[in-house]
Amino acid sequence: MNQKIRLVVPEAPSPQSVDTTETRAVAKGGIRLGVLDNSKGNADHLLKFIVDGVKALLPVASVVSLRKDSVSLPAPAEILDRLAAESDYVITAMAD
Amino acid sequence: MSNLAQLLQASGASIEADGDFDSVNALMMEKGWGDGLPVVPPTEARVAAMLEYCDRPWDQPVAKIPPRWGEATPLRLAANAVMAGCEPRYFPLYLLAIEAMCEEPLNLYGVQATTHLCAPLVIVNGPVTKELGLNSGHNAFGPGNRANATIGRAIRLALLNIGGAIPALGDMSTFGSPAKYSYLVAENEDESPWEPLHVERGLPREASAVTVIGAECPHNINDHESLDGEGLLTTIAGTMAVSGSNDIYYKAQPLVIMGPEHARTIAAAYSKDEAKRFLQQHATLPVAKLSRDNIERRVKVTWKDRLPDPKPDDVLYAVQRPEDLLIAVIGGAGKHSAFVPTFGATLPVTRALKTEDGRLAKSVEDFRRR
């Protein structure tokens, strides 16, 4: 019979995720759509398909499309501020 | 809190196992806690010995490691250090390296999760290198030295077990890298003709320090024939700029490792700053070496201000400014240097070994609990 020992767990648990799903009514004149291209190859194409798909399903009042220069780094504050000011919903994409 | 028995009462802090080596390793593999190699069982006694060299509260995170953003407490780090085979006196340097690589400029989230094959490279400077017996000479990146091998491995285990850089889940690297097992080295300050890396980066010479770089493996630069600094620098520059490198597409800060023999020859005619200027100016790639699509989709995006309409003879630089290039002297005898490209979207971080009250540590013994 093996002797039992106690081991210290080397793993960290995943932080608790927060449910951020929200249901909103579509504004009367249509939604203001924001698009953040992360500059990955083909992200622009993928986003165009998605925007076209959204337009086919919902009234869209405006689309603001912005692109960050670095694939890997967060978008700079001016891009985020503009998206926050001019969009009701923002779509971003990753692709390789 | 620094009472181990109490800490291990917390839910999920410890686990019971059959006590023999093979059973422990089978359990660790089953749980996914490791790098694929056998580990030293992180028993309470071994973890307690490791934590003797930690002056922080053992349950308070010193960093959060992406992409999982797991909390790196000294307790968890100590378990990983035991598993890697570290001596307890290595722990302060290990903890410092983890803290440094989690600083924002390194972009550890990107380094961990990218399809690129980068890993955090840790270069150690200062008195701690001799105190711990780190290898900075022959085969410094290779096997045979316990401190290099196990501190580097402990870092990787923390990146896996705490950070969640699990292959194909949190780490999407296309190839992975041998540097993802262990990637830690010391600078060969005794053989360097210039000031050491940590001094160049603003720390006092007496400081012990780590510099972390989101890096590829070293690429060798063989030059047995050049007899002067200009010749050697020309060869090094020729190795730095290649069309598939991330450094061509980012404002990167890559590393040139000079072997001591190359460094001495170059230093006869060049200061470190002058060598950097030469390399920055000569490590160039003609736009014609890139594909049409890369010119359209990369060059015109990244370098839109300098090259809005790139021509075939226009040049791309491996480093944009001389001060963006890092130079360290590492290795033993031989007419070799090496170039270490980076992930690109990452900046090196240098951090000094300090005690909890902010003093520069003179020795790892400063961290030992009395």
Side-chain angles (χ1 to χ4, degrees), chain A residues 2-7 42 72, chain B residues 14-15 17-20 107:
Chain A
N2 247 329
Q3 189 185 352
K4 295 287 185 185
I5 60 169
R6 184 148 293 280
L7 302 174
N42 295 321
S72 182
Chain B
S14 65
I15 185 171
D18 287 337
D20 66 286
N107 184 20

Side-chain angles (χ1 to χ4, degrees), chain B residues 222-241:
Chain B
N222 177 339
D223 191 342
H224 282 67
E225 316 308 334
S226 297
L227 299 175
D228 60 20
E230 184 178 352
L232 290 172
L233 289 171
T234 300
T235 304
I236 294 170
T239 311
M240 290 170 58

Side-chain angles (χ1 to χ4, degrees), chain A residues 1-15 39-45 67-74 94 96, chain B residues 12-20 23 33 42-44 47 68-71 76 80 83 107 110 115 161-162 297 301 304 343 345:
Chain A
M1 186 71 178
N2 247 329
Q3 189 185 352
K4 295 287 185 185
I5 60 169
R6 184 148 293 280
L7 302 174
V8 179
V9 169
E11 185 183 48
S14 298
S39 75
K40 271 277 185 190
N42 295 321
D44 49 351
H45 301 298
R67 189 177 211 218
K68 66 188 182 104
D69 285 341
S70 171
V71 168
S72 182
L73 299 172
M94 296 182 71
D96 254 327
Chain B
S14 65
I15 185 171
E16 194 177 70
D18 287 337
D20 66 286
S23 296
W33 296 337
T43 60
E44 183 174 347
V47 169
R68 182 188 289 156
W69 302 108
E71 292 185 338
R76 293 183 182 127
N80 285 285
M83 290 165 66
N107 184 20
T115 50
N161 295 332
I162 300 174
R297 299 174 65 82
V301 173
K304 58 181 182 285
F343 172 50

Side-chain angles (χ1 to χ4, degrees), chain A residues 26-79:
Chain A
V26 174
K28 214 171 184 178
I31 61 170
R32 299 178 308 157
L33 196 57
V35 178
L36 176 58
D37 179 343
N38 64 3
S39 75
K40 271 277 185 190
N42 295 321
D44 49 351
H45 301 298
L46 178 61
L47 284 166
K48 183 180 179 308
F49 290 134
I50 294 172
V51 169
D52 289 345
V54 172
K55 282 180 172 174
L57 291 171
L58 297 170
V60 174
S62 62
V63 179
V64 54
S65 293
L66 300 176
R67 189 177 211 218
K68 66 188 182 104
D69 285 341
S70 171
V71 168
S72 182
L73 299 172
E78 54 267 30
I79 286 185

